[in-house]
Amino acid sequence: MKIFKKLTVTALTAVLAVTASFAGIAAAADNLSGKITVNGSTALLPLTLQAAKEFQKLHPKVKIAASGKGSVTGPQAVKKGIADIGACDWDASVDVPGFKAFDGQVANKVAVIPFATIVNKNVGVDNLTTEQLKGIYSGKITNWKEVGGSDADIVVITRAFGSGTRVNYQAKALAGGDIVKKEKNYKETGSSGDMKTAVGTTPNAIGYIDLVYVTGSDIKAVKFNGIAATTDNVINGSYKIWAYGYYMTKGQPTGATKEFIEYVQSKKFQQGSLKKLKFIPISAMQS
Amino acid sequence: MGAPVHGLTSREQNSLEKVQVDSKRHQRHLLGNTISRYYFLFSILALCLVLGLVIVFIGKTALLLFANISPLDFFFSFNWTPEEDFFGAAAFILNTLSLTALTLVIAVPISVGMAVLCAEIAPKWMKSFIRPVLDLLVGIPSIVYGYLGLTVLLPFLRRVSGEGLGDGLLAAALVLALMVLPTICRISDDAIVSVPRKYRDAAYALGSTRIQVIMRIVLPAASRGIISAVILGMTRAIGETMAVVMVIGNTPQLAKSLFSPTSVLTSNIVMQISNVEFDSTWNYALHMMAFLLLLISFVLILIIRLLGRKRRDA
């Protein structure tokens, strides 16, 4: 019986506390309040979290919940009404290879995401051309010596079909070329983190990843057609493997969602925190 | 308590009050019992409801698959290329079965051996060391095993085999064997300990050696318990995802050798489910694979139940 009494007391206290906090929110109403749910791309998640933190400081009554799972979950969650914003590494309002357009959704550009080809630290090659990359991923080139390295089999590591990174890498680095699964020396990973670990621990491995993730001494980014993968080279237009990151919304955004997207697109955020996170401001590409 | 009843001594008065107090306490206990009974009943029903919902929802989504793909294609085709509308899951089903078999081939002899050691041979201090260690091993999250497999086991296998990648059935089976080992060992241990002492005494009285007692008397007597331990280990091996996905390579193809990168039901589901549109054949196919896993686990648990019943009848 004591336990029941205790449980009742605890439950009542909890209910009171929750009611009080809601009442508190309602009482101190200011111009902007609401709840924004963001779902989708893991590549954009650090950006969303940082923006949410800053936005909530400005508007304490707006609650932002963000989670990342994979690019296509973004527009899907918006379609199902689970999320207000779907973060996606490609413009999901038009058809892309493998995915049909999501009707009625608006793509709001929020950032530029550069991607890099990475290899294990033991690989001697530091430059690859589009043709060489196409050969490697389509299975025509299987040994590093064919592209100027030492005599060793190339281990191809790739992301699963439907990953936003893969969609963009295929379009930009492989010029639409295929990624062909092979009997041996071919592995698929589920996330950017797994990709980094796999390439870092497998000798003779090649993979691709957001430039943001290229850190540490186990992996190195190789040049693409002679151009180094740096944010500067993306901005001056010489490095081609990059894509816009989008916030998908059902129709034009309204209310708190609109304010939030505008905050992310604002000069203050784009030139400040976004740059610090090693994304590139969208304004840099429009010049 | 109560008004004084006329004509009773003070002692009788006291005992009457005591009875009244007792009966109140008794009623309180009855109420408590009733409430907790309903509470437990409610908990069980809620659990059954959730389980039923899981089966219904997964099954419902899974069966939508056969509106688009024939069951023959799904179960017997080896071509899994969902982006081109080929949904053959035969390779995954066979890989899952061979991975489980390989895991058991590695894990069962070792773990039953350890169980015999624990129950029959080891001195007390060793038992009190091995058992808690095994219990701790069960508690380690599977992703930790997977990460160790990826960073420690794979480089080792690469050196030993000379392969470029090292991923494949062998790596996955080794990781899984380590994971199911404590489960099988501890349950077999219990089964062996519960074999009555008189069996052993009788065998020794007939002049058997210790090995003969263990091999001819104790293990056969504990065999049902050991089989259910193996099946429990098997359910864990079949359903395990996170550790497997990190060391198996995730290439949807039939495993032709121990080192060819491949994929099993669980790893394929977890790799693809987040990148697939909700209402697509692809999504239904993944649900069908999940439903298949659910059915396999059910069948295995049913087998354990049947074995348990037979043991009680015997």
Side-chain angles (χ1 to χ4, degrees):
Chain A
M1 289 314 284
K2 256 189 178 165
I3 288 181
F4 282 109
K5 261 186 202 161
K6 259 189 196 162
L7 275 180
T8 321
V9 171
T10 324
L12 276 179
T13 326
V15 168
L16 279 178
V18 169
T19 323
S21 59
F22 272 118
I25 288 168
D30 89 324
N31 47 357
L32 197 65
S33 69
K35 195 167 176 296
I36 309 173
T37 313
V38 190
N39 202 336
S41 158
T42 43
L44 286 170
L45 188 62
L47 182 140
T48 308
L49 289 176
Q50 179 62 29
K53 213 162 81 188
E54 293 174 19
F55 190 71
Q56 278 167 322
K57 228 172 252 169
L58 295 174
H59 306 279
K61 262 149 278 143
V62 179
K63 295 270 166 242
I64 303 179
S67 66
K69 235 185 129 193
S71 274
V72 80
T73 47
Q76 273 181 28
V78 171
K79 185 180 165 192
K80 286 234 159 181
I82 303 165
D84 307 297
I85 295 175
C88 189
D89 294 1
W90 69 81
D91 183 351
S93 63
V94 298
D95 287 342
V96 297
F99 292 97
K100 282 203 198 88
F102 287 83
D103 288 332
Q105 294 200 11
V106 176
N108 306 276
K109 273 180 202 170
V110 290
V112 173
I113 314 170
F115 301 97
T117 308
I118 52 170
V119 293
N120 184 273
K121 61 175 183 292
N122 89 319
V123 173
V125 176
D126 58 5
N127 178 42
L128 288 168
T129 64
T130 311
E131 282 313 307
Q132 286 172 331
L133 284 174
K134 274 173 101 165
I136 289 171
Y137 278 97
S138 63
K140 285 185 197 89
I141 299 174
T142 56
N143 196 303
W144 280 112
K145 75 178 175 203
E146 293 171 62
V147 291
S150 51
D151 182 7
D153 283 345
I154 299 177
V155 176
V156 172
I157 300 183
T158 176
R159 294 283 301 276
F161 182 85
S163 133
T165 308
R166 176 167 163 154
V167 167
N168 285 309
Y169 190 80
Q170 234 176 317
K172 307 281 166 54
L174 306 181
D178 267 347
I179 296 179
V180 178
K181 68 182 183 215
K182 293 186 282 180
E183 287 276 306
K184 280 176 66 181
N185 295 335
Y186 173 96
K187 172 171 176 155
E188 287 182 12
T189 56
S191 68
S192 300
D194 283 352
M195 169 68 91
K196 192 178 166 183
T197 319
V199 176
T201 57
T202 314
N204 304 312
I206 184 170
Y208 50 87
I209 204 165
D210 305 5
L211 188 56
V212 188
Y213 283 94
V214 183
T215 53
S217 58
D218 290 340
I219 55 168
K220 59 178 183 186
V222 294
K223 290 179 186 157
F224 177 62
N225 293 329
I227 313 283
T230 61
T231 45
D232 286 343
N233 285 341
V234 174
I235 294 169
N236 69 30
S238 52
Y239 184 78
K240 301 290 183 195
I241 317 176
W242 59 271
Y244 285 115
Y246 296 89
Y247 277 176
M248 306 300 302
T249 51
K250 202 173 230 168
Q252 289 297 337
T254 53
T257 309
K258 178 167 179 274
E259 294 281 329
F260 178 63
I261 294 177
E262 276 169 6
Y263 178 78
V264 175
Q265 291 168 333
S266 71
K267 205 167 179 185
K268 176 174 167 273
F269 184 78
Q270 293 271 324
Q271 297 297 333
S273 308
L274 183 134
K275 256 188 169 172
K276 258 185 232 142
L277 287 166
K278 291 206 221 153
F279 289 98
I280 300 172
I282 40 177
S283 58
M285 306 308 300
Q286 283 158 346
S287 56
Chain B
M1 291 285 151
V5 180
H6 191 67
L8 293 178
T9 65
S10 74
R11 194 164 168 194
E12 285 169 333
Q13 180 71 39
N14 271 346
S15 75
L16 185 67
E17 275 178 16
K18 198 159 174 288
V19 167
Q20 282 171 337
V21 170
D22 276 352
S23 105
K24 275 205 172 159
R25 189 183 288 155
H26 181 62
Q27 274 172 355
R28 227 164 46 215
H29 282 172
L30 277 184
L31 184 69
N33 284 349
T34 319
I35 291 178
S36 41
R37 197 181 307 130
Y38 280 117
Y39 172 71
F40 295 141
L41 188 68
F42 170 77
S43 311
I44 300 237
L45 285 179
L47 189 69
C48 290
L49 182 73
V50 171
L51 188 64
L53 285 179
V54 167
I55 296 171
V56 166
F57 275 108
I58 294 189
K60 217 173 76 183
T61 319
L63 289 175
L64 287 174
L65 172 72
F66 296 134
N68 305 338
I69 302 287
S70 88
L72 274 176
D73 275 350
F74 181 77
F75 289 108
F76 297 106
S77 157
F78 287 90
N79 187 357
W80 176 267
T81 321
E83 55 269 36
E84 289 161 21
D85 284 331
F86 291 110
F87 299 95
F92 303 119
I93 298 170
L94 285 181
N95 285 341
T96 300
L97 295 180
S98 44
L99 176 60
T100 312
L102 190 60
T103 305
L104 292 182
V105 165
I106 299 172
V108 169
I110 301 176
S111 43
V112 174
M114 281 177 72
V116 169
L117 175 84
C118 244
E120 296 286 306
I121 300 166
K124 224 176 195 157
W125 64 266
M126 204 187 214
K127 286 182 198 175
S128 60
F129 172 74
I130 296 179
R131 287 184 179 145
V133 166
L134 288 175
D135 291 343
L136 274 179
L137 280 179
V138 179
I140 296 177
S142 56
I143 194 129
V144 174
Y145 285 110
Y147 189 75
L148 286 178
L150 181 64
T151 53
V152 180
L153 180 67
L154 285 185
F156 173 75
L157 286 177
R158 256 175 237 137
R159 255 204 323 276
V160 172
S161 67
E163 295 280 331
L165 206 50
D167 293 55
L169 283 189
L170 184 65
L174 285 173
V175 171
L176 280 182
L178 183 63
M179 293 179 66
V180 301
L181 193 134
T183 312
I184 303 181
C185 183
R186 290 293 276 123
I187 297 172
S188 314
D189 186 5
D190 287 343
I192 294 174
V193 167
S194 67
V195 172
R197 208 187 147 72
K198 57 185 180 193
Y199 290 12
R200 297 185 184 82
D201 291 344
Y204 280 127
L206 288 171
S208 311
T209 63
R210 195 186 225 180
I211 292 293
Q212 284 172 329
V213 171
I214 291 172
M215 300 303 286
R216 305 260 174 90
I217 306 295
V218 176
L219 283 185
S223 63
R224 286 194 192 286
I226 295 175
I227 290 174
S228 34
V230 171
I231 295 177
L232 271 181
M234 214 159 128
T235 52
R236 186 160 190 211
I238 284 183
E240 177 48 44
T241 314
M242 290 324 290
V244 172
V245 84
M246 296 178 90
V247 296
I248 201 160
N250 304 311
T251 310
Q253 63 189 5
L254 188 68
K256 293 197 184 89
S257 82
L258 289 180
F259 289 104
S260 61
T262 175
S263 203
V264 292
L265 289 170
T266 48
S267 67
N268 193 60
I269 295 172
V270 78
M271 283 291 290
Q272 304 197 329
I273 195 81
S274 61
N275 287 330
V276 173
E277 287 172 55
F278 288 132
D279 296 314
S280 61
T281 317
W282 192 347
N283 188 22
Y284 301 151
L286 292 177
H287 273 81
M288 192 69 214
M289 289 162 68
F291 193 56
L292 212 59
L293 278 170
L294 203 64
L295 288 183
I296 295 175
S297 307
F298 269 2
V299 169
L300 290 177
I301 287 165
L302 268 182
I303 294 175
I304 301 182
R305 292 280 134 196
L306 286 177
L307 281 178
R309 190 169 300 157
K310 268 187 196 152
R311 182 169 41 173
R312 246 174 276 127
D313 293 344

